[in-house]
């Protein structure tokens, strides 16, 4: 069952913390957000996929149905795992909060 921990879209300080260090370690408040993002319903969840091991990653969406392939987002290809993590964080942020993550 998905977590009910709310994500306050005004907490861009936590989003900035993630963007600065996507691989962690994270503060307790940020870790709650990351855990919440990973605990969403499978259908439509954004995930990272390895396109070329240790060299290229992409974004995809889960179908939520066993045996049904993920939907690759062909325009989302990264040569840095950290950049891929940042992108999926932004997409999950918007999906959960309903607010695009805008950082200046």
């Amino acid at each position: 069952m998905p977590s009910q921990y709310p994500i306050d879209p005004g907490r861009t300080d936590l989003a900035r913390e993630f963007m600065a260090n996507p691989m962690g370690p994270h503060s307790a408040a940020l870790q709650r957000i990351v855990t919440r993002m990973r605990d969403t319903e499978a259908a439509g969840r954004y995930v990272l996929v390895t396109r070329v091991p240790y060299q290229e990653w992409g974004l995809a969406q889960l179908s939520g149905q066993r045996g049904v392939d993920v939907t690759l987002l062909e325009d989302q290809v990264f040569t840095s795992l950290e950049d891929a993590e940042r992108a999926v964080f932004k997409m999950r942020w918007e999906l959960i909060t309903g607010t695009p993550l805008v950082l200046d």
Side-chain angles (χ1 to χ4, degrees), residues 40-66:
T40 58
E41 186 175 322
R45 181 185 316 157
Y46 292 106
V47 296
L48 296 179
V49 293
T50 301
R51 296 172 63 104
V52 178
Y54 308 105
Q55 295 179 30
E56 190 175 279
W57 297 265
L59 295 181
Q61 276 189 292
L62 298 179
S63 69
Q65 297 177 354
R66 186 177 304 273

mmCIF file of all heavy atoms in Angstrom, residues 40-66:
data_model
loop_
_atom_site.group_PDB
_atom_site.id
_atom_site.type_symbol
_atom_site.label_atom_id
_atom_site.label_comp_id
_atom_site.label_asym_id
_atom_site.label_seq_id
_atom_site.Cartn_x
_atom_site.Cartn_y
_atom_site.Cartn_z
ATOM 1 N N THR A 40 5.033 4.727 -4.362
ATOM 2 C CA THR A 40 3.793 5.059 -5.059
ATOM 3 C C THR A 40 3.260 3.830 -5.773
ATOM 4 O O THR A 40 3.950 2.836 -5.940
ATOM 5 C CB THR A 40 4.026 6.188 -6.086
ATOM 6 O OG1 THR A 40 5.018 5.772 -7.007
ATOM 7 C CG2 THR A 40 4.432 7.483 -5.403
ATOM 8 N N GLU A 41 2.032 3.930 -6.197
ATOM 9 C CA GLU A 41 1.409 2.850 -6.964
ATOM 10 C C GLU A 41 2.247 2.555 -8.208
ATOM 11 O O GLU A 41 2.797 3.466 -8.835
ATOM 12 C CB GLU A 41 0.005 3.299 -7.368
ATOM 13 C CG GLU A 41 -0.805 2.242 -8.050
ATOM 14 C CD GLU A 41 -2.219 2.729 -8.318
ATOM 15 O OE1 GLU A 41 -2.789 3.433 -7.478
ATOM 16 O OE2 GLU A 41 -2.737 2.375 -9.390
ATOM 17 N N ALA A 42 2.348 1.292 -8.569
ATOM 18 C CA ALA A 42 3.207 0.892 -9.689
ATOM 19 C C ALA A 42 2.753 1.491 -11.015
ATOM 20 O O ALA A 42 3.574 1.952 -11.807
ATOM 21 C CB ALA A 42 3.270 -0.626 -9.793
ATOM 22 N N ALA A 43 1.467 1.498 -11.282
ATOM 23 C CA ALA A 43 0.968 1.997 -12.566
ATOM 24 C C ALA A 43 1.331 3.469 -12.731
ATOM 25 O O ALA A 43 0.953 4.310 -11.925
ATOM 26 C CB ALA A 43 -0.533 1.814 -12.662
ATOM 27 N N GLY A 44 2.104 3.763 -13.760
ATOM 28 C CA GLY A 44 2.478 5.141 -14.049
ATOM 29 C C GLY A 44 3.723 5.630 -13.338
ATOM 30 O O GLY A 44 4.171 6.742 -13.594
ATOM 31 N N ARG A 45 4.296 4.811 -12.451
ATOM 32 C CA ARG A 45 5.488 5.239 -11.714
ATOM 33 C C ARG A 45 6.662 5.402 -12.677
ATOM 34 O O ARG A 45 6.894 4.587 -13.541
ATOM 35 C CB ARG A 45 5.862 4.232 -10.639
ATOM 36 C CG ARG A 45 7.092 4.684 -9.831
ATOM 37 C CD ARG A 45 7.583 3.682 -8.824
ATOM 38 N NE ARG A 45 6.516 3.080 -8.076
ATOM 39 C CZ ARG A 45 6.626 1.905 -7.475
ATOM 40 N NH1 ARG A 45 7.740 1.208 -7.534
ATOM 41 N NH2 ARG A 45 5.606 1.406 -6.810
ATOM 42 N N TYR A 46 7.390 6.503 -12.500
ATOM 43 C CA TYR A 46 8.591 6.737 -13.281
ATOM 44 C C TYR A 46 9.749 5.957 -12.675
ATOM 45 O O TYR A 46 9.932 5.945 -11.459
ATOM 46 C CB TYR A 46 8.940 8.223 -13.310
ATOM 47 C CG TYR A 46 7.933 9.047 -14.080
ATOM 48 C CD1 TYR A 46 7.027 9.860 -13.412
ATOM 49 C CD2 TYR A 46 7.885 9.003 -15.462
ATOM 50 C CE1 TYR A 46 6.100 10.617 -14.101
ATOM 51 C CE2 TYR A 46 6.959 9.757 -16.166
ATOM 52 C CZ TYR A 46 6.073 10.559 -15.474
ATOM 53 O OH TYR A 46 5.151 11.291 -16.168
ATOM 54 N N VAL A 47 10.521 5.306 -13.527
ATOM 55 C CA VAL A 47 11.659 4.505 -13.086
ATOM 56 C C VAL A 47 12.840 4.744 -14.021
ATOM 57 O O VAL A 47 12.672 5.212 -15.147
ATOM 58 C CB VAL A 47 11.326 2.995 -13.059
ATOM 59 C CG1 VAL A 47 10.247 2.693 -12.033
ATOM 60 C CG2 VAL A 47 10.908 2.502 -14.436
ATOM 61 N N LEU A 48 14.023 4.410 -13.526
ATOM 62 C CA LEU A 48 15.226 4.458 -14.351
ATOM 63 C C LEU A 48 15.474 3.088 -14.958
ATOM 64 O O LEU A 48 15.226 2.070 -14.309
ATOM 65 C CB LEU A 48 16.437 4.849 -13.506
ATOM 66 C CG LEU A 48 16.415 6.242 -12.901
ATOM 67 C CD1 LEU A 48 17.659 6.469 -12.065
ATOM 68 C CD2 LEU A 48 16.300 7.292 -13.990
ATOM 69 N N VAL A 49 15.957 3.073 -16.176
ATOM 70 C CA VAL A 49 16.344 1.832 -16.830
ATOM 71 C C VAL A 49 17.762 2.004 -17.373
ATOM 72 O O VAL A 49 18.151 3.088 -17.802
ATOM 73 C CB VAL A 49 15.386 1.440 -17.984
ATOM 74 C CG1 VAL A 49 14.012 1.086 -17.449
ATOM 75 C CG2 VAL A 49 15.269 2.550 -19.016
ATOM 76 N N THR A 50 18.520 0.939 -17.308
ATOM 77 C CA THR A 50 19.868 0.953 -17.861
ATOM 78 C C THR A 50 19.775 0.630 -19.342
ATOM 79 O O THR A 50 19.223 -0.391 -19.719
ATOM 80 C CB THR A 50 20.757 -0.090 -17.151
ATOM 81 O OG1 THR A 50 20.800 0.222 -15.762
ATOM 82 C CG2 THR A 50 22.159 -0.089 -17.717
ATOM 83 N N ARG A 51 20.293 1.517 -20.160
ATOM 84 C CA ARG A 51 20.298 1.291 -21.602
ATOM 85 C C ARG A 51 21.619 0.661 -22.027
ATOM 86 O O ARG A 51 21.638 -0.244 -22.838
ATOM 87 C CB ARG A 51 20.045 2.600 -22.331
ATOM 88 C CG ARG A 51 18.652 3.169 -22.019
ATOM 89 C CD ARG A 51 18.471 4.562 -22.577
ATOM 90 N NE ARG A 51 18.542 4.604 -24.018
ATOM 91 C CZ ARG A 51 17.512 4.729 -24.847
ATOM 92 N NH1 ARG A 51 16.304 4.819 -24.352
ATOM 93 N NH2 ARG A 51 17.683 4.771 -26.142
ATOM 94 N N VAL A 52 22.724 1.178 -21.490
ATOM 95 C CA VAL A 52 24.060 0.618 -21.699
ATOM 96 C C VAL A 52 24.686 0.546 -20.312
ATOM 97 O O VAL A 52 24.832 1.581 -19.657
ATOM 98 C CB VAL A 52 24.928 1.505 -22.631
ATOM 99 C CG1 VAL A 52 26.322 0.917 -22.780
ATOM 100 C CG2 VAL A 52 24.257 1.700 -23.980
ATOM 101 N N PRO A 53 25.027 -0.646 -19.824
ATOM 102 C CA PRO A 53 25.526 -0.773 -18.454
ATOM 103 C C PRO A 53 26.665 0.206 -18.123
ATOM 104 O O PRO A 53 27.638 0.312 -18.876
ATOM 105 C CB PRO A 53 26.010 -2.225 -18.384
ATOM 106 C CG PRO A 53 25.143 -2.932 -19.388
ATOM 107 C CD PRO A 53 24.959 -1.940 -20.500
ATOM 108 N N TYR A 54 26.466 0.941 -17.034
ATOM 109 C CA TYR A 54 27.440 1.904 -16.499
ATOM 110 C C TYR A 54 27.713 3.093 -17.415
ATOM 111 O O TYR A 54 28.614 3.866 -17.154
ATOM 112 C CB TYR A 54 28.766 1.206 -16.149
ATOM 113 C CG TYR A 54 28.568 0.017 -15.261
ATOM 114 C CD1 TYR A 54 28.663 -1.272 -15.774
ATOM 115 C CD2 TYR A 54 28.248 0.180 -13.918
ATOM 116 C CE1 TYR A 54 28.464 -2.384 -14.966
ATOM 117 C CE2 TYR A 54 28.047 -0.922 -13.092
ATOM 118 C CZ TYR A 54 28.154 -2.200 -13.623
ATOM 119 O OH TYR A 54 27.955 -3.277 -12.826
ATOM 120 N N GLN A 55 26.923 3.255 -18.481
ATOM 121 C CA GLN A 55 27.182 4.335 -19.440
ATOM 122 C C GLN A 55 25.960 5.157 -19.817
ATOM 123 O O GLN A 55 26.089 6.345 -20.085
ATOM 124 C CB GLN A 55 27.771 3.767 -20.732
ATOM 125 C CG GLN A 55 29.126 3.150 -20.578
ATOM 126 C CD GLN A 55 29.627 2.577 -21.894
ATOM 127 O OE1 GLN A 55 29.294 3.061 -22.969
ATOM 128 N NE2 GLN A 55 30.422 1.529 -21.816
ATOM 129 N N GLU A 56 24.780 4.512 -19.864
ATOM 130 C CA GLU A 56 23.613 5.226 -20.378
ATOM 131 C C GLU A 56 22.349 4.740 -19.679
ATOM 132 O O GLU A 56 22.123 3.538 -19.574
ATOM 133 C CB GLU A 56 23.503 4.992 -21.888
ATOM 134 C CG GLU A 56 22.481 5.852 -22.572
ATOM 135 C CD GLU A 56 22.515 5.654 -24.072
ATOM 136 O OE1 GLU A 56 23.388 6.252 -24.740
ATOM 137 O OE2 GLU A 56 21.673 4.881 -24.574
ATOM 138 N N TRP A 57 21.549 5.716 -19.205
ATOM 139 C CA TRP A 57 20.314 5.413 -18.506
ATOM 140 C C TRP A 57 19.171 6.169 -19.169
ATOM 141 O O TRP A 57 19.372 7.202 -19.791
ATOM 142 C CB TRP A 57 20.414 5.847 -17.038
ATOM 143 C CG TRP A 57 21.460 5.104 -16.304
ATOM 144 C CD1 TRP A 57 21.291 3.973 -15.540
ATOM 145 C CD2 TRP A 57 22.856 5.386 -16.247
ATOM 146 N NE1 TRP A 57 22.489 3.552 -15.035
ATOM 147 C CE2 TRP A 57 23.475 4.401 -15.464
ATOM 148 C CE3 TRP A 57 23.675 6.375 -16.805
ATOM 149 C CZ2 TRP A 57 24.836 4.379 -15.201
ATOM 150 C CZ3 TRP A 57 25.035 6.357 -16.553
ATOM 151 C CH2 TRP A 57 25.598 5.363 -15.758
ATOM 152 N N GLY A 58 17.977 5.629 -19.021
ATOM 153 C CA GLY A 58 16.794 6.280 -19.553
ATOM 154 C C GLY A 58 15.675 6.257 -18.539
ATOM 155 O O GLY A 58 15.774 5.618 -17.484
ATOM 156 N N LEU A 59 14.615 6.962 -18.855
ATOM 157 C CA LEU A 59 13.427 6.979 -18.014
ATOM 158 C C LEU A 59 12.336 6.161 -18.678
ATOM 159 O O LEU A 59 12.247 6.089 -19.896
ATOM 160 C CB LEU A 59 12.930 8.407 -17.797
ATOM 161 C CG LEU A 59 13.851 9.337 -17.021
ATOM 162 C CD1 LEU A 59 13.207 10.707 -16.879
ATOM 163 C CD2 LEU A 59 14.187 8.781 -15.663
ATOM 164 N N ALA A 60 11.510 5.572 -17.836
ATOM 165 C CA ALA A 60 10.381 4.780 -18.322
ATOM 166 C C ALA A 60 9.253 4.906 -17.317
ATOM 167 O O ALA A 60 9.441 5.396 -16.202
ATOM 168 C CB ALA A 60 10.792 3.317 -18.484
ATOM 169 N N GLN A 61 8.080 4.460 -17.721
ATOM 170 C CA GLN A 61 6.925 4.386 -16.823
ATOM 171 C C GLN A 61 6.468 2.946 -16.739
ATOM 172 O O GLN A 61 6.408 2.240 -17.757
ATOM 173 C CB GLN A 61 5.777 5.262 -17.318
ATOM 174 C CG GLN A 61 5.905 6.701 -16.905
ATOM 175 C CD GLN A 61 4.646 7.478 -17.227
ATOM 176 O OE1 GLN A 61 4.335 7.679 -18.392
ATOM 177 N NE2 GLN A 61 3.946 7.900 -16.214
ATOM 178 N N LEU A 62 6.149 2.535 -15.516
ATOM 179 C CA LEU A 62 5.644 1.185 -15.304
ATOM 180 C C LEU A 62 4.186 1.102 -15.722
ATOM 181 O O LEU A 62 3.420 2.055 -15.555
ATOM 182 C CB LEU A 62 5.758 0.796 -13.828
ATOM 183 C CG LEU A 62 7.158 0.748 -13.228
ATOM 184 C CD1 LEU A 62 7.062 0.380 -11.748
ATOM 185 C CD2 LEU A 62 8.038 -0.227 -13.973
ATOM 186 N N SER A 63 3.796 -0.051 -16.230
ATOM 187 C CA SER A 63 2.406 -0.260 -16.626
ATOM 188 C C SER A 63 1.532 -0.599 -15.430
ATOM 189 O O SER A 63 0.330 -0.359 -15.447
ATOM 190 C CB SER A 63 2.315 -1.401 -17.644
ATOM 191 O OG SER A 63 2.627 -2.631 -16.997
ATOM 192 N N GLY A 64 2.150 -1.188 -14.415
ATOM 193 C CA GLY A 64 1.382 -1.629 -13.255
ATOM 194 C C GLY A 64 0.805 -3.019 -13.429
ATOM 195 O O GLY A 64 0.098 -3.514 -12.557
ATOM 196 N N GLN A 65 1.097 -3.655 -14.556
ATOM 197 C CA GLN A 65 0.589 -5.002 -14.826
ATOM 198 C C GLN A 65 1.755 -5.946 -15.073
ATOM 199 O O GLN A 65 2.626 -5.674 -15.905
ATOM 200 C CB GLN A 65 -0.322 -4.989 -16.055
ATOM 201 C CG GLN A 65 -1.551 -4.145 -15.866
ATOM 202 C CD GLN A 65 -2.390 -4.106 -17.138
ATOM 203 O OE1 GLN A 65 -2.015 -4.617 -18.176
ATOM 204 N NE2 GLN A 65 -3.538 -3.470 -17.047
ATOM 205 N N ARG A 66 1.756 -7.030 -14.333
ATOM 206 C CA ARG A 66 2.813 -8.028 -14.480
ATOM 207 C C ARG A 66 2.855 -8.537 -15.918
ATOM 208 O O ARG A 66 1.838 -8.826 -16.529
ATOM 209 C CB ARG A 66 2.558 -9.181 -13.522
ATOM 210 C CG ARG A 66 3.673 -10.209 -13.502
ATOM 211 C CD ARG A 66 3.411 -11.297 -12.484
ATOM 212 N NE ARG A 66 3.200 -10.797 -11.141
ATOM 213 C CZ ARG A 66 4.183 -10.567 -10.268
ATOM 214 N NH1 ARG A 66 5.423 -10.783 -10.615
ATOM 215 N NH2 ARG A 66 3.907 -10.130 -9.062
#
